[in-house]
Amino acid sequence: MIRPQRRMHAWLWPLIAVALAVGIAAGLAARRGSFVQPAAATSGANP
Amino acid sequence: MSVAYTAIGWNRQKRLYDAAVVGGVLLFVGLFFAIGKFAGRGPEVERVHDDAMLLIRALGTCGLVLLHIVLWIGPLARLDPRLLPLLYNRRHLGVLTFLIGLAHAAITLVQYHGFGNVNPLVSLFTSNTNFTSLAEFPFELLGLAALVILFLMAATSHDFWLAVLSPRVWKWLHMSVYAAYALLVMHVVLGVLQQDRSPLLPLLLIAGVAITAGLHIAAGLREHARDTRGDALLDGLIDAGPTGEIALNRARVVCTSSAERIAVFKHTANGKACISAVANVCAHQQGPLGEGKVIDGCITCPWHGYQYHPADGCAPPPFTEKISTYRVTLRGGRVLIDPKACPPGTPIAPAEVPDAG
């Protein structure tokens, strides 16, 4: 029956919207370099 | 039990629809490519890469735009019944979305993984395993996962699979389009948006997500309110309102306390107006029968034209589909419906509407 899917949008889509908002915000913040890990120093290499 | 396969029933309307959609896609991709090519002229050595990259972006953008349109159709049709015709042939748009995504993926695979000494598919999975970094996340795998979902949906879009898988399983499979959508949004966010500094792309993407989410939430809340309200009861019977308020050959949809919807049709039998009540859900693909009309004495589903006799809920021969029927009583000029469904195909004598005056 389509009934479950019809009502499901009322609670499912707020969840999807919040998840995507968080994902988009994190992704956009990452492109400014906030989440880029600094390159690890190689062991034994001369400074 | 076997299910006979019948090929797509092409008709003039479908051909015109597909021609228009394919034409629109070619125009979009062509314009995107042309504008991108002339807007970003570079040195000769870069132009080869630019062409491939432009085509990749053109196809990717086109596919994502088409997916947005596909997702908007459902809630728009719920919010405004005048937009119901948009539902017709929606599956054609879905299959086209998959094909565009496949072309995008194929060119990307060749362009970025095809010129090394490693198998391109192996390279796709092993060249970047930086799952802990957002800026360098292997976003291509998100796109691949979405493509697999779209492939499964495209492959099972024919009615044959609806019968083989059962409507419930088929519907849940096709609900995974939402997972594909989320994967594709993140594929773009962690892919092209990591390099492209234009504010336009993020704004367009956010607008697309906001509209998609907003439409679904609005339609879902409206339907949820409708289901939980239930319709007024009179002595245990659902009051469907005055007989005069139901248009001839049309229906009023009422809702039981258990959120089952009943389509109450006014039609003619032996030259007299009468009322019959049937389940609102078409046996074919769960279409809303109450939004259809009575044609040649049969309730006709607005989605695919499946028909049922209003008196017994049976499809006319040679078809065998059946839907539940409900007992109807007329009292004081009002239509009262027994909310207890009769088994599919149960004949219920239509309630004759008294002549006015």
Side-chain angles (χ1 to χ4, degrees), chain B residues 95 148-157 173-177 180:
Chain B
V95 173
V148 168
I149 293 173
L150 292 178
F151 164 71
L152 289 173
M153 293 176 62
T156 57
S157 63
L173 172 62
H174 283 253
M175 290 291 282
S176 60
V177 69

Side-chain angles (χ1 to χ4, degrees), chain A:
Chain A
M1 306 293 278
I2 61 174
R3 197 182 345 112
Q5 291 84 27
R6 191 173 61 223
R7 285 184 301 193
M8 194 169 73
H9 295 320
W11 61 262
L12 177 65
W13 268 97
L15 287 178
I16 295 176
V18 167
L20 284 178
V22 169
I24 292 171
L28 291 178
R31 76 174 183 166
R32 293 196 186 91
S34 306
F35 290 92
V36 174
Q37 300 298 320
T42 53
S43 59
N46 288 324

Side-chain angles (χ1 to χ4, degrees), chain B residues 73-86:
Chain B
I73 286 175
L76 279 174
R78 292 284 109 226
L79 290 169
D80 189 344
R82 290 175 299 177
L83 299 173
L84 272 171
L86 292 176

Side-chain angles (χ1 to χ4, degrees), chain B residues 205-231:
Chain B
L205 186 68
I206 289 168
V209 171
I211 293 171
T212 308
L215 284 175
H216 280 84
I217 291 169
L221 286 175
R222 199 166 104 153
E223 296 293 308
H224 176 70
R226 183 79 177 78
D227 280 344
T228 50
R229 188 183 74 210
D231 281 285

